[in-house]
Amino acid sequence: SAEERNRYYSAVASALDPALARETLAIALTDELSTDLARRLISWVASQGEQTEIALVFVKENFEALAAKHGSTFRNNFVANLMSNFSDYARADELKNFAPAYETSGGRTVAERVREGIIADADFVAQQVPAIDEWVRRRAAVP
């Protein structure tokens, strides 16, 4: 059934093995999946922490093929939304330099909103992580 199929694809997209994640992402380039399920497959892989980078590289390397298959919404919004998983300044700059995200006014709006979120998250990390690390260090030193 369609529901079982979705569960199986979700399960394979949850794999922590980078090689399997890449194989799973490659399915998004085929006609095996509906466009909606292919987009979800990429997002599922990206939601696996360490695999976010693999998903982003895949999307950027195959951007034109994916955009042709998935249309203007993908072209304008997908990379920005995918990059919302990051929380460092370099990723905010990377998004700003990703030209397809800024081709339309709607794309620019989404990209800038996500970019501001990445910067806010990076600011939070820069301000809070040292204090958290210090708290953990003090607690670990207690006998």
Side-chain angles (χ1 to χ4, degrees):
S1 72
E3 185 177 324
E4 281 182 318
R5 185 175 165 201
N6 286 348
R7 281 198 309 260
Y8 289 134
Y9 281 114
S10 174
V12 75
S14 299
L16 300 179
D17 181 320
L20 187 52
R22 286 182 189 91
E23 286 181 42
T24 301
L25 289 166
I27 297 169
L29 293 171
T30 70
D31 292 329
E32 182 175 332
L33 307 176
S34 67
T35 55
D36 179 56
L37 186 54
R39 282 191 304 270
R40 284 190 286 152
L41 184 78
I42 296 167
S43 295
W44 288 335
V45 171
S47 71
Q48 299 307 309
E50 299 295 319
Q51 309 309 12
T52 304
E53 178 67 25
I54 291 170
L56 180 61
V57 168
F58 170 81
V59 169
K60 289 174 111 179
E61 287 176 351
N62 298 285
F63 186 78
E64 290 306 323
L66 290 165
K69 183 175 181 171
H70 298 281
S72 61
T73 303
F74 182 94
R75 182 171 201 81
N76 296 335
N77 301 325
F78 195 83
V79 170
N81 290 326
L82 185 62
M83 292 189 76
S84 69
N85 290 299
F86 295 106
S87 59
D88 58 276
Y89 301 112
R91 295 301 181 156
D93 289 341
E94 184 179 349
L95 177 56
K96 185 176 184 177
N97 294 319
F98 189 71
Y102 289 84
E103 289 177 348
T104 65
S105 61
R108 281 189 297 278
T109 300
V110 170
E112 280 304 305
R113 188 173 299 137
V114 169
R115 194 171 156 279
E116 289 170 6
I118 294 170
I119 291 169
D121 290 348
D123 288 344
F124 178 82
V125 168
Q127 294 169 5
Q128 299 302 317
V129 168
I132 293 167
D133 286 345
E134 176 60 24
W135 183 87
V136 169
R137 186 188 63 72
R138 284 195 322 268
R139 296 298 181 268
V142 175

